[in-house]
């Protein structure tokens, strides 16, 4: 009997190793995926550009302030906090939230999300001023988006106007006049067209070069934000990847090359040398190396003390912040 159990465990471990990718499975319900889902929908609905995973220096505390996303369009910009909350949520008199019946099976408390988002907007404005981008009053507004279909509340009227509940989120429709007309109040729309164009260009350039979390894209349209640490694998492969360092490379893409019989499959790693003068790279600027599929990426997800290992074969791309 014990022999059968032992053999069964071995078979289970082998099956799990070859047919399941733990790195992907563990992140199926990740909040990171909600961020990119919201960003993608906003760009499709209203155009403009969404910057995800900003880490803005806070001059008052000397630390970095994480901002989920900033949506920029001509004449206005929105600092957006995404709360991927499941369960029934109620609002306390002090603005804090209590969620019950969620995935953790116990009551969770959240500090006032609207106040937190407004604070983030204030820190971002100060950072932009330091970099020479002076925005007119009212240019920035704030929103808190609740995109989880398992979100519920008995008192939707108790939420501030800055909160977009799930029911409101799914009913949003494109509006031709302005990015968020109808649910952003006080956004700047006046002034000369030339001034607006200048502010828009400066803002986009500054945000595109602002500190951000590293972005790991996995197969199945899954994402992880955090910090890339290093590669792990055979010394030959590590040597091939030695040029992929934050100071030298901005992005890399993983492609499978071939598998012949029982031979190890190989992966083609395309990487773009960092160019501080512009965004991205043209096709001619990409360089490439080939490594074993067993090579791993060491990555520390944001808000996690644990370093994770991701098989390079499960990775689609890796974007490194400067």
């Amino acid at each position: 009997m014990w022999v059968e159990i032992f053999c069964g465990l071995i078979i289970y471990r082998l099956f799990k190793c070859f047919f399941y990718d733990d790195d992907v499975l563990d992140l199926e319900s990740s909040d990171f995926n909600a961020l990119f889902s919201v960003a993608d929908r906003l760009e499709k609905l209203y155009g403009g550009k969404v910057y995800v995973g900003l880490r803005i220096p806070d001059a008052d505390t000397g630390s970095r302030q994480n901002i989920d996303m900033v949506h920029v369009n001509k004449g206005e910009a929105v600092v957006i906090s995404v709360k991927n909350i499941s369960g029934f949520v109620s609002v306390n008199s002090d603005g804090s939230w209590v969620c019950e019946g969620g995935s953790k099976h116990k009551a969770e408390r959240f500090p006032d999300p609207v106040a937190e988002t407004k604070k983030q907007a204030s820190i971002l404005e100060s950072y932009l001023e330091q970099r020479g981008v002076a925005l007119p009053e009212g240019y920035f507004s704030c929103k808190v988006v609740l995109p989880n279909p398992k979100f519920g509340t008995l008192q939707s009227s108790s939420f501030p106007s800055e909160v977009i509940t799930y029911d409101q989120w799914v009913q949003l429709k494109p509006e031709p006049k302005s990015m968020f007309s109808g649910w952003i109040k006080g956004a700047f729309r006046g002034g000369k067209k030339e001034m607006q164009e200048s502010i828009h260009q400066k803002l986009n350039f500054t945000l595109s070069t602002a500190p951000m979390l590293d972005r790991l894209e996995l197969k199945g349209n899954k994402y992880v934000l955090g910090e890339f640490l290093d590669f792990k694998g055979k010394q030959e492969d590590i040597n091939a990847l030695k040029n992929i360092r934050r100071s030298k490379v901005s992005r890399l893409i993983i492609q499978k090359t071939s598998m012949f019989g029982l031979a190890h499959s190989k992966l083609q790693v395309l990487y773009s040398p960092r160019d501080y003068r512009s965004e991205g790279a043209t096709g001619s600027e990409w360089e490439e190396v080939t490594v074993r599929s067993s090579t791993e990426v060491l990555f520390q997800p944001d808000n996690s003390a644990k370093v994770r290992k991701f098989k390079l074969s499960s990775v689609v791309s890796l974007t490194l912040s400067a």
Side-chain angles (χ1 to χ4, degrees):
M1 176 180 177
W2 287 108
V3 174
E4 293 174 348
I5 294 175
F6 181 75
C7 292
L9 288 172
I10 293 177
I11 293 173
Y12 169 75
R13 292 295 296 273
L14 289 173
F15 184 85
K16 190 176 180 182
C17 176
F18 284 101
F19 294 96
Y20 286 92
D21 192 334
D22 289 338
D23 303 321
V24 174
L25 291 177
D26 291 345
L27 291 159
E28 283 185 336
S29 60
S30 170
D31 292 342
F32 300 124
N33 299 326
L35 290 181
F36 288 95
S37 176
V38 168
D40 182 63
R41 185 160 188 257
L42 289 177
E43 288 185 342
K44 288 180 179 178
L45 283 174
Y46 306 110
K49 173 68 175 178
V50 178
Y51 298 91
V52 180
L54 293 165
R55 296 189 72 229
I56 303 302
D58 183 354
D60 292 336
T61 64
S63 60
R64 297 291 181 98
Q65 174 67 61
N66 284 6
I67 297 177
D68 285 348
M69 65 185 68
V70 178
H71 192 171
V72 178
N73 211 330
K74 292 183 179 179
E76 55 194 7
V78 195
V79 176
I80 301 171
S81 177
V82 178
K83 300 297 182 184
N84 190 33
I85 299 174
S86 64
F88 282 90
V89 177
S90 58
V91 181
N92 294 326
S93 57
D94 63 354
S96 62
W97 295 3
V98 177
C99 177
E100 298 180 288
S103 57
K104 294 186 178 180
H105 305 292
K106 63 179 181 179
E108 291 185 85
R109 297 185 181 276
F110 300 88
D112 187 344
V114 174
E116 286 187 338
T117 308
K118 289 181 177 179
K119 180 181 178 182
Q120 293 171 4
S122 176
I123 293 172
L124 179 58
E125 283 193 88
S126 297
Y127 169 77
L128 292 171
E129 288 179 5
Q130 292 174 5
R131 292 194 58 182
V133 184
L135 300 174
E137 184 178 354
Y139 198 96
F140 266 125
S141 59
C142 301
K143 289 293 174 183
V144 178
V145 177
L146 303 168
N148 196 317
K150 294 182 180 180
F151 165 84
T153 181
L154 298 177
Q155 299 175 320
S156 58
S157 60
S158 63
F159 288 99
S161 59
E162 293 88 353
V163 176
I164 307 301
T165 64
Y166 174 74
D167 289 339
Q168 294 170 323
W169 171 246
V170 296
Q171 293 173 14
L172 289 181
K173 296 180 181 179
E175 297 185 27
K177 291 184 179 180
S178 180
M179 178 177 67
F180 290 124
S181 300
W183 64 287
I184 282 185
K185 297 180 180 179
F188 171 79
R189 296 188 181 91
K192 295 182 179 180
K193 182 178 180 181
E194 293 79 8
M195 183 180 71
Q196 290 190 31
E197 289 286 349
S198 175
I199 292 173
H200 181 69
Q201 292 176 4
K202 288 181 179 178
L203 181 57
N204 273 310
F205 175 78
T206 305
L207 290 177
S208 69
T209 57
M212 291 187 179
L213 294 166
D214 296 335
R215 178 188 307 181
L216 188 67
E217 182 182 357
L218 304 173
K219 291 180 178 178
N221 293 319
K222 294 177 173 62
Y223 297 88
V224 190
L225 293 175
E227 181 182 4
F228 165 72
L229 300 176
D230 208 343
F231 295 103
K232 183 179 179 180
K234 300 290 186 180
Q235 190 60 47
E236 178 185 352
D237 297 323
I238 300 303
N239 291 338
L241 295 166
K242 65 181 180 181
N243 288 330
I244 300 181
R245 291 294 178 263
R246 186 180 306 279
S247 60
K248 298 180 179 180
V249 173
S250 60
R251 190 164 187 262
L252 58 92
I253 297 174
I254 312 302
Q255 296 180 340
K256 189 174 181 179
T257 56
S258 62
M259 177 183 287
F260 300 100
L262 297 177
H264 291 290
S265 61
K266 294 286 187 176
L267 297 175
Q268 185 183 48
V269 180
L270 304 175
Y271 61 95
S272 168
R274 186 175 298 283
D275 185 352
Y276 292 94
R277 298 167 299 177
S278 63
E279 295 183 68
T282 62
S284 60
E285 294 174 327
W286 290 92
E287 299 181 20
E288 65 179 73
V289 295
T290 301
V291 298
R292 294 175 178 84
S293 61
S294 59
T295 308
E296 296 176 322
V297 174
L298 300 182
F299 197 91
Q300 184 165 5
D302 187 40
N303 295 325
S304 173
K306 182 180 179 182
V307 175
R308 296 290 304 274
K309 293 188 295 184
F310 297 90
K311 296 176 183 177
L312 205 58
S313 58
S314 71
V315 175
V316 175
S317 67
L318 173 62
T319 303
L320 301 176
S321 174

